[in-house]
Amino acid sequence: MDAVRRQHQRDAYAALLAEANSYFRQAGWAECSQQACERLGISYPPRERREEADRQACHIRAEVPTEPLRLAAAVVDLEGPKHISEIAQRIENNAHSVHVSALRGEVPDTLFDMLEEPPVREHRNSHLDLLNAIYAFTDAARSHLNDGKTPRQT
């Protein structure tokens, strides 16, 4: 592979990772809940205000833009190769799932919820799926850019 093409791929992969990690951080439930509490002027929502805080956190999560991540994934799709593009698509799909669940007002089970009572429903954790896709992409991109060799650890 020529150096120019490799550099284009490296730039595309780095841009996607930057956008994916940024989205992951901004759309994290803890981050959104903290912002919701700040907007409501409370430090931690008492039980009677938890639904209000959760609605606000969903609204904040839904406001996190997915477009920059989608555009970065499109460039990776152009640069390829196919197995890297497929993982980039997984990242995009998982981010979209996080966004849609926020629009629907779906609140993830928190540790506090699980301590009070076990979750009644079983559902996918799209935010965790996004993190796993980011890790898979990082590993695949690193391997591809290094011709399948793992960089030496120092």
Side-chain angles (χ1 to χ4, degrees):
M1 177 184 303
D2 67 20
V4 173
R5 174 115 174 104
R6 185 177 298 273
Q7 187 60 47
H8 283 274
Q9 286 180 332
R10 186 179 310 277
D11 292 345
Y13 300 169
L16 176 59
L17 284 172
E19 291 299 340
N21 283 306
S22 175
Y23 181 83
F24 180 82
R25 187 177 50 258
Q26 291 177 58
W29 189 251
E31 175 69 22
C32 296
S33 293
Q34 180 182 352
Q35 287 182 39
C37 288
E38 288 171 6
R39 287 185 187 181
L40 295 171
I42 55 179
S43 59
Y44 181 78
R47 181 170 283 204
E48 61 273 2
R49 292 198 69 189
R50 181 148 330 146
E51 281 188 37
E52 177 186 14
D54 286 346
R55 275 194 310 275
Q56 185 70 31
C58 281
H59 180 72
I60 291 167
R61 189 180 231 188
E63 288 177 339
V64 178
T66 57
E67 187 68 9
L69 190 149
R70 190 184 70 71
L71 293 173
V75 175
V76 169
D77 192 38
L78 290 173
E79 291 293 336
K82 185 177 180 177
H83 72 284
I84 302 285
S85 297
E86 288 170 349
I87 302 171
Q89 186 61 52
R90 278 189 9 225
I91 290 174
E92 183 182 347
N93 291 344
N94 287 317
H96 180 74
S97 293
V98 170
H99 180 75
V100 169
S101 69
L103 290 173
R104 291 181 180 153
E106 295 173 5
V107 177
D109 292 322
T110 65
L111 177 60
F112 297 108
D113 296 329
M114 289 185 237
L115 289 174
E116 289 176 11
E117 61 187 66
V120 207
R121 67 194 190 292
E122 210 172 294
H123 62 281
R124 293 201 56 84
N125 183 334
S126 298
H127 199 247
L128 181 58
D129 291 343
L130 173 59
L131 180 62
N132 288 329
I134 291 169
Y135 286 154
F137 181 84
T138 302
D139 290 343
R142 182 182 298 123
S143 178
H144 173 70
L145 291 171
N146 292 300
D147 295 323
K149 298 178 204 127
T150 305
R152 194 175 344 158
Q153 301 289 323
T154 56

